[in-house]
Amino acid sequence: MNGETFDWHDFLGRWQQEWVPGADEGEEGGTGVSLGRPGADESAIVAAEERLGRRLPPSYREFLAVSGGWHVEQTAGIYQLGGAADVDWFRDPFDMTPLYEESLGDDPREEEVLLAGMWRRALRLETDSDMSNALLDPGDRDENGEWALYVYKGWGGELPDRYRSFRAYMEAMYRAFHAGRAPRPDFVNATTRAQDAHVEEGRLLALRGRYEEALPLLEEALSFGRPGSADLLNQLRQLLEPRGSREYGHLVADPRYLPDVLPLQAMEPARGEWRSGGDDHWLGMMAARGVDRETAESVLSAMRDGTHGYAPTGAWGRAVAEARESARWGVTDAAWRVLRDALPLWEAPGPSLIAPIGLLADPVLGPLITPERGREILATPRAGEPGAVPEPVPDLDPPGLVWLTEPATNRRPSDGYRCVWAEGVDPARLPALIGEEGAELSAPVDLLRASWRAPRPHEREGVELWEDRALVGVGRTLEAWAFAFDGHSHRYLDDRLVSPAAAASSAGRAVVVWREQRGSSPGDRPAAFHLSVAERGEELYAFTVRGTDIRRRGAIPEALDPARLFRPEDAEADRERRALEALHSELGLSLPRFALTRGRLRTFTTRSWTRAPREGEGFVHARIGGVQHRL
């Protein structure tokens, strides 16, 4: 509100004309109820101001000239507002000021200071309420001279609701009046028809990629409680914030929308984040909305074990299947490009769905939908609607391996990493080549969570404490190497290493890299870096660097000469970076950052990376701070 004129006669007259009883008033309330009384003339308003010792704020003063009070029902506990002769200073009768001043702290925000002082200087407007007060604060003023209005619900124990002016409060109460009567089939008037038109306009704008124009229309319609507005708006918000949780009400039970919506609703309970009552509570809520219990249980189970798959029909469905095949092996940028190109082919199963939100619940494809990609989905015309295609967002995976030296959201500074690359091998064959006996690929999982939950050696029957079996994420690089990556290694690289390179090289070359991070305490041994390369079952060359000590085997290419890559005068980070750059340029090795740090990959457990101690050798297995160490 920037000082523009506002027609209180029109606003209040429309409210009066549209009034019908609320659900709790019954029809005996009739439609002839007068919501207000005649307004005051200028002299009466001036007299009230002289009595109060203050000139009233503009919008409230204009209201008083039109109405001698208003019936706002039970919204926020306020029933009736008074006229010019009724208002008076509040004077903090319940001694609220000390309570709020005590909580200010040493560096309070401006709004906290204003609220603490409001109680003793506010003007009380209500004449009938349920232990609630409508308070205009002359100390909380804007550039137009408007006073903020606070509604304090004495029975709620909450902070007061703040409105920037009296007019803003009345407009909010008018919208609440509409929202409370929206379910009534006979509540039809010019305002409801206008807001329903906004819902339809917002739906079409959203399908045409003009979601930024659709948002305010749908938000306003929702404030009036118009049917369908919440479902459409929540879809836009869900894609703008893909990790958020949204409610879709009874839309979840409609067969047209259930494949998209029910898995979304199951995401929180599947992750163990359901707020209360566990599975039974969630299943009961779904049943109350009309979802068959067996169907809900099946979807929840599939979401929990990672086997759910978003499976629409038609050309869009074929693109989804193609994208999933790429994404499940870590080639996520290519998967996203497939989805992006196919977005115009998406078809709405009914008028209440405006975007392919079912993508978000897919365990493989869902993590690909970042906020930037969510906006790109919304900005792309869909379902045969016209519109301009947006500029594509950049790919997320950098080339090569240098990103391994950068901080990652799900890797700690103490984490080492190790990886096996196999040329000419389908990633699905890696468990047979380098996996423990009976190893199989898991469903797609978050690698950090999988690492945390993996059983420790002493917790597994038949596993010796000296063994170093790694839980690895499996995928394929852009250069078509299969890889098995452990990004949360805390093992020590020692002389008992048995490189998996030879076992992985059945179809061509295989490469093993192991980066052991430096210890965090002064005096800890320096970081180590190991490389071994094999072909057709035979090791070609290998080296291990720890500090200034270099051990090598075989004919190492000049480009990978450890003496050149790991110069003693350079910082450890520079040495590691140079080695990773050389591996990319010389051997064509890379790893998909997004899939390994934010996506979902299938996993398996490898054979031990260390051999058994020989006669006369010993080893120490220690667990310090939740981290395993073998020496």
Side-chain angles (χ1 to χ4, degrees):
M1 188 171 66
N2 299 312
E4 76 275 17
T5 59
F6 182 72
D7 192 334
W8 282 98
H9 280 285
D10 177 73
F11 174 69
L12 297 176
R14 186 175 354 114
W15 194 340
Q16 175 70 70
Q17 185 179 30
E18 294 171 349
W19 192 88
V20 295
D24 57 346
E25 294 174 289
E27 292 302 328
E28 64 273 10
T31 57
V33 173
S34 177
L35 301 182
R37 303 191 304 269
D41 58 24
E42 179 65 14
S43 62
I45 296 174
V46 170
E49 291 174 330
E50 291 176 349
R51 173 172 58 85
L52 298 169
R54 294 292 298 264
R55 181 174 175 83
L56 296 171
S59 65
Y60 184 54
R61 206 174 192 281
E62 293 163 5
F63 165 79
L64 292 176
V66 175
S67 175
W70 198 256
H71 177 61
V72 288
E73 301 177 305
Q74 298 181 23
T75 307
I78 305 296
Y79 301 161
Q80 187 76 35
L81 299 176
D86 303 309
V87 297
D88 202 352
W89 297 112
F90 185 56
R91 298 187 179 91
D92 195 8
F94 308 113
D95 209 21
M96 303 293 290
T97 303
L99 296 176
Y100 281 79
E101 288 179 340
E102 288 171 4
S103 63
L104 286 178
D106 296 331
D107 187 24
R109 301 191 306 273
E110 181 183 0
E111 55 266 30
E112 292 175 326
V113 175
L114 286 172
L115 180 57
M118 181 270 297
W119 307 96
R120 289 176 180 166
R121 62 175 178 255
L123 190 66
R124 179 184 56 78
L125 305 187
E126 85 286 346
T127 58
D128 187 17
S129 71
D130 178 14
M131 297 177 62
S132 300
N133 303 106
L135 305 172
L136 271 177
D137 181 12
D140 188 351
R141 302 177 54 159
D142 67 11
E143 65 278 6
N144 299 310
E146 293 289 353
W147 304 359
L149 188 147
Y150 291 85
V151 172
Y152 174 63
K153 301 177 282 291
W155 38 263
E158 304 165 354
L159 291 175
D161 296 325
R162 181 186 182 276
Y163 303 85
R164 67 183 186 276
S165 67
F166 178 77
R167 171 184 158 186
Y169 166 72
M170 288 294 283
E171 289 179 315
M173 295 307 98
Y174 175 64
R175 292 191 294 270
F177 154 76
H178 263 267
R181 288 158 173 76
R184 289 185 54 149
D186 62 339
F187 188 60
V188 179
N189 49 60
T191 302
T192 62
R193 287 190 288 269
Q195 292 303 323
D196 288 342
H198 284 175
V199 173
E200 178 59 18
E201 183 182 358
R203 186 183 75 85
L204 290 175
L205 285 170
L207 289 173
R208 292 167 184 169
R210 295 160 61 184
Y211 72 95
E212 291 175 310
E213 298 173 58
L215 277 168
L217 290 174
L218 294 173
E219 286 168 348
E220 182 182 21
L222 178 61
S223 72
F224 282 86
R226 298 318 302 160
S229 57
D231 295 331
L232 299 178
L233 188 59
N234 278 340
Q235 292 171 62
L236 301 184
R237 290 173 173 169
Q238 185 109 50
L239 283 162
L240 292 172
E241 187 185 350
R243 303 286 81 80
S245 177
R246 303 291 173 185
E247 290 291 338
Y248 293 97
H250 290 277
L251 206 66
V252 70
D254 191 313
R256 295 172 295 177
Y257 312 122
L258 184 149
D260 281 77
V261 176
L262 185 57
L264 279 174
Q265 304 283 256
M267 288 177 70
E268 280 192 354
R271 292 193 299 255
E273 299 172 359
W274 187 240
R275 52 187 177 270
S276 63
D279 289 359
D280 284 341
H281 184 208
W282 182 80
L283 291 167
M285 287 186 62
M286 294 302 104
R289 296 174 187 176
V291 181
D292 175 72
R293 186 180 180 92
E294 185 176 345
T295 300
E297 287 177 337
S298 175
V299 169
L300 179 59
S301 175
M303 289 294 297
R304 183 164 283 148
D305 62 24
T307 58
H308 168 73
Y310 174 57
T313 59
W316 169 246
R318 291 190 290 275
V320 167
E322 180 183 346
R324 184 183 294 107
E325 181 60 25
S326 293
R328 75 188 184 113
W329 298 121
V331 191
T332 57
D333 283 335
W336 168 246
R337 289 194 291 271
V338 169
L339 293 173
R340 180 175 63 203
D341 293 344
L343 274 172
L345 303 177
W346 177 80
E347 297 179 351
S352 293
L353 207 64
I354 53 175
I357 54 175
L359 271 174
L360 300 174
D362 188 289
V364 175
L365 298 175
L368 274 60
I369 312 303
T370 62
E372 296 77 17
R373 286 172 171 173
R375 286 193 290 273
E376 188 172 0
I377 289 174
L378 293 177
T380 302
R382 306 172 298 282
E385 292 292 335
V389 176
E391 191 72 21
V393 298
D395 285 351
L396 297 178
D397 278 335
L401 298 167
V402 171
W403 68 265
L404 287 168
T405 66
E406 303 168 355
T409 54
N410 70 342
R411 292 184 61 225
R412 295 162 291 193
S414 61
D415 286 351
Y417 59 83
R418 49 188 169 176
C419 187
V420 182
W421 288 268
E423 190 177 36
V425 172
D426 188 309
R429 286 197 60 218
L430 287 177
L433 295 175
I434 62 173
E436 66 180 5
E437 184 177 355
E440 295 181 349
L441 291 176
S442 72
V445 295
D446 176 284
L447 296 183
L448 178 60
R449 292 187 181 184
S451 174
W452 284 347
R453 295 171 180 173
R456 310 307 173 191
H458 65 281
E459 298 171 341
R460 298 185 60 198
E461 185 178 350
V463 178
E464 302 290 343
L465 289 178
W466 56 261
E467 291 192 77
D468 179 10
R469 305 189 190 191
L471 181 72
V472 290
V474 182
R476 182 187 294 114
T477 72
L478 287 174
E479 300 83 5
W481 291 73
F483 69 81
F485 180 76
D486 171 18
H488 307 285
S489 173
H490 298 278
R491 278 73 170 183
Y492 284 133
L493 197 167
D494 60 30
D495 292 339
R496 294 186 295 112
L497 168 67
V498 179
S499 170
S505 63
S506 62
R509 289 178 300 171
V511 180
V512 168
V513 167
W514 187 344
R515 169 64 165 175
E516 177 203 305
Q517 296 292 72
R518 171 193 282 273
S520 58
S521 302
D524 283 347
R525 60 184 187 173
F529 192 98
H530 169 84
L531 169 71
S532 50
V533 180
E535 186 170 5
R536 302 289 178 180
E538 298 291 334
E539 182 178 273
L540 300 180
Y541 54 87
F543 67 75
T544 300
V545 178
R546 184 181 295 281
T548 58
D549 179 50
I550 300 176
R551 302 182 183 184
R552 61 176 77 207
R553 295 191 301 271
I556 301 172
E558 182 180 357
L560 298 176
D561 183 353
R564 185 181 71 84
L565 299 177
F566 294 87
R567 297 194 294 260
E569 65 270 20
D570 293 339
E572 281 188 1
D574 293 334
R575 300 164 80 193
E576 179 186 4
R577 189 176 296 108
R578 189 182 300 116
L580 295 175
E581 288 172 345
L583 289 169
H584 175 55
S585 59
E586 181 70 11
L587 299 177
L589 298 181
S590 66
L591 283 171
R593 179 177 65 182
F594 186 89
L596 291 169
T597 60
R598 298 168 63 187
R600 301 291 185 273
L601 287 175
R602 306 174 79 180
T603 66
F604 71 93
T605 301
T606 68
R607 301 166 197 162
S608 176
W609 287 57
T610 56
R611 60 170 173 77
R614 293 172 181 156
E615 186 175 352
E617 288 183 332
F619 76 95
V620 175
H621 176 271
R623 189 170 180 80
I624 304 172
V627 177
Q628 298 177 79
H629 300 277
R630 294 179 181 82
L631 299 172

